């Protein structure tokens, strides 16, 4: 299978690209600066199946050329903006362009990367059917993009007539907090600094300041890549899949792991009580277990990530 991946050099995308290449798929990874990420093509697991394709997600003529002849498109990239208009123009518009380009070029499968942010307020045991109630522009953008991906069942036609049907299978993966060690030398990790702030404090013997009971269902990028491959291999259409660990892990627990891994540290943990309950509101991950037999736990991968962050903190 030939696959075009946006965001394939980032936190999640690097592991999705490697997982696809390892399976023997021919992978084209869109990158604004391919020369920065040549290590991705040299990782043993890539088996020589990854090509870096220079371009921006908004360069639609280039995108059309790259997508032509592909069997699948996996859209991981995020275009950022600080206001509603720029979020729409930098992320939603390119997503819709990519969706339409893929359909017109005869792509069979389209996988869109959304976020639990599209769901908004935590409600206990939320699953893929939960009402989307985003709390910010990022969540609103993800929710809007989901609507375009899932609602693109046919082209619009004149009033009273049926439009041309869309043949491409379109599915959505909704990650939560997904973290990664770089997949190769010079590779990337998540932009969020909370892991690094903890390990910096541990290395420097500073207090670790956290919110009591704050945490989530952490998942590593290497783990979430398994969900992408399962959706890619399947015959699903217009489905949403939550992709998180089944376990809740608090930031306090992550701090304690960091202290366990650096026993010489004299750091202490300071917890601020905002009145959050000890029983977390969990997302349901039953669907990926039922459909794919996938069920993830977080602590082992979290510990590996803490060790990597400690090494970086010690080198700073």
């Amino acid at each position: 299978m030939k696959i075009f991946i946006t965001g394939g050099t980032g936190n999640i995308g690097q592991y999705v690209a490697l997982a696809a290449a390892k399976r023997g798929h021919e992978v084209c990874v869109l990158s604004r600066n391919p020369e920065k990420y040549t290590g991705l093509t040299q990782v043993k697991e890539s088996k020589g199946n990854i090509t870096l394709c220079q371009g921006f997600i908004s360069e639609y003529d280039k995108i059309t050329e790259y997508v032509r002849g592909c069997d699948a498109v996996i859209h991981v990239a995020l275009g950022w903006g600080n206001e509603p208009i720029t979020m729409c123009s930098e992320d939603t518009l390119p997503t819709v362009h990519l969706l339409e380009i893929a359909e017109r070029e005869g792509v069979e499968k389209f996988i869109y990367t959304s976020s639990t942010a599209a769901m908004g307020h935590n409600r206990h045991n939320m699953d893929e059917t939960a009402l989307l109630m985003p709390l910010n522009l990022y969540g609103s953008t993800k929710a809007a993009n989901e609507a375009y991906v899932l609602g693109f069942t046919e082209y619009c036609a004149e009033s009273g007539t049926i439009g041309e049907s869309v043949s491409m299978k379109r599915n959505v993966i909704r990650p939560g907090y997904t973290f990664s060690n770089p997949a190769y030398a010079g590779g990337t990790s998540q932009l969020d600094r909370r892991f690094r702030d903890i390990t910096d404090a541990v290395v420097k013997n500073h207090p670790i300041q956290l919110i009591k009971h704050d945490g989530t269902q952490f998942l590593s990028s290497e783990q979430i890549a398994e969900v992408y491959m399962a959706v890619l291999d399947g015959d699903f259409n217009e489905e949403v899949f939550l992709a998180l660990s089944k376990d809740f892990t608090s930031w306090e627990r992550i701090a304690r792991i960091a202290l366990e891994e650096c026993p010489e540290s004299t750091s202490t943990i300071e917890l601020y009580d905002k009145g959050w309950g000890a029983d977390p509101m969990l997302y349901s991950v039953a669907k990926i277990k039922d459909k794919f037999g996938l069920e993830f736990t977080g602590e082992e991968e979290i510990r590996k990530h803490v060790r990597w962050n400690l090494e970086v903190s010690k080198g700073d």
Side-chain angles (χ1 to χ4, degrees):
M1 186 180 292
K2 186 175 181 181
I3 305 170
F4 177 72
I5 302 179
T6 72
T9 59
N11 175 34
I12 292 175
Q14 60 188 333
Y15 282 97
V16 174
L18 286 172
K22 188 175 181 180
R23 287 168 171 249
H25 298 305
E26 182 183 347
V27 180
C28 170
V29 171
L30 183 70
S31 175
R32 290 173 293 180
N33 302 295
E35 64 279 359
K36 290 178 59 178
Y37 303 103
T38 54
L40 180 62
T41 67
Q42 298 163 4
V43 177
K44 182 180 178 182
E45 289 78 7
S46 71
K47 296 183 175 181
N49 292 326
I50 297 177
T51 301
L52 295 174
C53 306
Q54 196 283 326
F56 291 80
I57 193 63
S58 58
E59 294 182 298
Y60 305 125
D61 289 341
K62 274 190 178 181
I63 299 297
T64 300
E65 291 300 317
Y66 293 144
V67 167
R68 185 165 295 142
C70 287
D71 304 290
V73 168
I74 301 177
H75 185 28
V76 187
L78 170 69
W80 190 256
N82 294 320
E83 302 86 22
I85 293 297
T86 52
M87 283 296 286
C88 186
S89 63
E90 298 298 320
D91 191 80
T92 300
L93 186 59
T95 296
V96 175
H97 271 284
L98 180 59
L99 184 66
E100 186 165 353
I101 288 167
E103 168 63 17
R104 288 182 173 173
E105 291 299 325
V107 170
E108 296 174 10
K109 298 180 179 182
F110 188 101
I111 299 174
Y112 173 65
T113 306
S114 184
S115 168
T116 53
M119 303 168 80
H121 286 288
N122 282 353
R123 290 145 277 161
H124 188 61
N125 207 36
M126 284 194 295
D127 64 11
E128 289 80 359
T129 66
L131 179 66
L132 301 186
M133 302 170 63
L135 300 172
N136 52 37
L137 288 178
Y138 173 69
S140 297
T141 300
K142 290 297 187 181
N145 293 356
E146 280 194 30
Y148 272 104
V149 170
L150 299 176
F152 185 36
T153 59
E154 62 183 32
Y155 287 89
C156 290
E158 294 180 8
S159 179
T161 63
I162 298 174
E164 180 184 349
S165 295
V166 168
S167 60
M168 182 172 63
K169 290 181 169 61
R170 295 149 287 103
N171 295 288
V172 172
I173 294 175
R174 239 185 240 159
Y177 191 115
T178 308
F179 62 89
S180 66
N181 295 358
Y184 56 94
T188 55
S189 185
Q190 74 276 9
L191 294 176
D192 182 274
R193 279 196 53 90
R194 280 176 283 183
F195 274 93
R196 185 66 50 77
D197 288 343
I198 288 171
T199 58
D200 281 350
V202 167
V203 168
K204 295 174 183 176
N205 299 310
H206 293 168
I208 307 167
Q209 299 177 333
L210 301 168
I211 299 171
K212 190 175 183 178
H213 304 315
D214 186 17
T216 190
Q217 290 160 264
F218 294 92
L219 194 67
S220 77
S221 298
E222 197 165 3
Q223 290 171 315
I224 202 174
E226 295 183 47
V227 181
Y228 282 84
M229 294 304 102
V231 176
L232 186 68
D233 290 343
D235 196 38
F236 301 97
N237 189 31
E238 298 168 20
E239 295 274 6
V240 177
F241 299 95
L242 279 165
L244 306 95
S245 168
K246 69 183 181 69
D247 299 330
F248 176 91
T249 303
S250 69
W251 286 104
E252 179 186 359
R253 176 58 190 150
I254 292 170
R256 296 199 183 282
I257 290 172
L259 290 170
E260 290 169 12
E261 294 293 330
C262 190
E264 67 274 17
S265 175
T266 59
S267 291
T268 57
I269 299 172
E270 298 177 356
L271 296 177
Y272 292 86
D273 194 343
K274 288 192 171 184
W276 296 1
D279 294 327
M281 292 188 181
L282 299 177
Y283 296 94
S284 170
V285 289
K287 187 171 181 178
I288 58 171
K289 183 179 181 180
D290 293 343
K291 298 293 186 182
F292 310 132
L294 294 175
E295 187 175 55
F296 302 104
T297 56
E299 180 135 340
E300 182 178 348
E301 292 295 308
I302 287 171
R303 188 175 291 273
K304 286 163 56 178
H305 192 50
V306 167
R307 287 172 182 159
W308 174 74
N309 275 283
L310 281 169
E311 289 302 312
V312 176
S313 293
K314 288 174 182 177
D316 286 347

